[in-house]
Amino acid sequence: SNLQGVCYVLDEPTIGLHARDNQILLNALHALGSKGNTLVVVEHDEDTIRRADHLIDVGPSAGKLGGTIVAQGSVQDVQNCADSVTGRYLRDAMRHPMQARRLVDDVSLAANGALRLAGARLHNLQDVTIDVPLKRLVAITGVSGSGKSTLARDVLLTNVAAVVTPVVKRALAKDAAAPRPEWVGCTALTGYETLDRVLEVDQTPIGKTPRSCPATYIGFWDIVRKLFAETLEAKARGYLPGRFSFNTGDGRCPGCEGQGMRTVEMSFLPDVKVLCETCHGDRFNPETLAVTWRGKSVGDVLGMSVDEAVEFFASMPAIAHPLQLLQDVGLGYLTLGQPSPTLSGGEAQRIRLATQIGSALQGVVYVLDEPSIGLHQRDNTKLITTLMRLRDLKNTVIVVEHDQETME
C-alpha cells in the first residue's frame, strides 16, 4: 500500500513456511521497513532473529519464571548475554539429541517392515507412491502447498485408520478374503498388518471448559483426592474423595462453583473473567481447604507448577511419574490447575505426547502436522527427544515438518 510511518505487529509470521518461502517473507518485511515503517515481530525462527535490526529477548524461562527482559540489542549483544537461552542457541548450534541415525537398509526394512502407499491422487498429489519405514521417526517435508499434509493426514492417516480399527482388523484376520475398506485417495495400502492403532496428535485444546486442566487430563487428580481423603483430618470430618473435587460436591467454592474465576457478562463487549472474591482462586470452600497433606491444602496443590509438584510428590510414583513426563516435554512451568482453554496449541500437543509416552503403547502410528510450530529452540530439542522416545517404544512417528533440526 506504500504507507509510511506505520507500526506493524506480527505474531510468528513464519509459521508453516518452508525455508524458501521464509526468505521471501523476510524480504517483504525488510521492504516494509525500508519505506519508513516499524515492524515488531514475535518469532522463534533463527533466520528472522538474525535479520532483525534490534532484538528483545524475554525470559529467562516460561510461566512464573518468565516476564523479564533478559537481553536486548543486536544479535551479538544477545549472544554475549550469559543469561540468555536464546543467545546460547544463536552462539552454538543445537546439540542434537538424536542418537546415531538408524539407516533404513534392506535388512532393517525386512525386519521391521514398511507401509507402502501406492497411487496417491488427491488435491495436488500426482500418482504418488511412498514407503514409510515402521518403528522409525519419519519426516515428510517440501515447500509450502506441495501436498505434505494431504499425503500424511488425508491419505495415509485416513487409510491406516480404516484397516487397524479393532473390528476391521479382527474380520481381516479371520477371513483373508474379507473385503477391505475402499481406499481413499490412493489405489492400495500394504504393510499395515502389524499395526495396532493410528493416532493424530494435533494442537486442538485438551478441554473446552475451564474445569478441564492438566491434572484431570493426565489422570492423576483422582489419586490426589484420595490422598487428602485418607488424612486424619478428613476422616475426622467424614470427608470422602468427592469432597476434594472442584467439579461437583460440597467441597467446592459456591461462589465460582470450583472454577476459581467468575465470568462477568458485558453488554456490548466480550465477557470478562475475574478472580472469585469468595475463594480468591482456590476453588474450594474454607472447610475443604482446612484439610492439609504435608502442609498443603488441595487448593495449594492445584496452584503448584509441574516442577514444584514433581518434588512435592516425589514419594508417590503414581503421581510423580506423569508429572515427570510433563517436565520432560518442557511443560514444567504449567500449573496443575491451569484451565485447558488457556493452553496454547503447542502446550496441548505436548501434553498429549506425554500421555502417550506414559501409556507405553506399541505398534502405533503417530501423525503430527508441524509440531515445532511456536517452539523456542530449547523446547524444540525437548520435542524431538519426546518423539524419539515414542519411536523407541516400537512405534512409527510421522511428522510433517519444515524445521531443519527435526528433519536432521
Side-chain angles (χ1 to χ4, degrees), residues 73-97:
S74 65
V75 173
Q76 191 63 45
D77 293 333
V78 174
Q79 287 180 344
N80 293 337
C81 179
D83 297 329
S84 172
V85 176
T86 305
R88 288 202 298 273
Y89 277 90
L90 291 173
R91 194 168 55 245
D92 304 311
M94 183 178 89
R95 292 181 177 85
H96 209 286

Side-chain angles (χ1 to χ4, degrees), residues 38 83 85 91 95 105 108 133 164 180 190 247 287 314 320 327:
T38 301
D83 297 329
V85 176
R91 194 168 55 245
R95 292 181 177 85
D105 52 24
S108 61
V164 301
R180 287 164 173 75
T190 58
N247 288 325
E287 292 77 16
Q327 197 176 48

Side-chain angles (χ1 to χ4, degrees), residues 112 148 170 181 204 220 231-232 288 307 334 348 352:
N112 295 316
K148 305 181 300 300
R170 284 197 297 269
T204 56
F220 58 81
T231 61
L232 293 176
T288 306
D307 289 334
L334 290 182
R352 287 193 175 91

Side-chain angles (χ1 to χ4, degrees), residues 211 225 237-255 257-258 278-279 283-291 298:
R211 298 187 184 281
R225 292 194 295 114
R237 294 173 180 241
Y239 293 165
L240 298 176
R243 178 81 189 194
F244 303 95
S245 170
F246 52 82
N247 288 325
T248 59
D250 300 328
R252 65 180 182 176
C253 170
E257 297 184 334
T278 304
C279 66
R283 299 191 181 204
F284 297 91
N285 58 33
E287 292 77 16
T288 306
L289 294 173
V291 178
V298 66

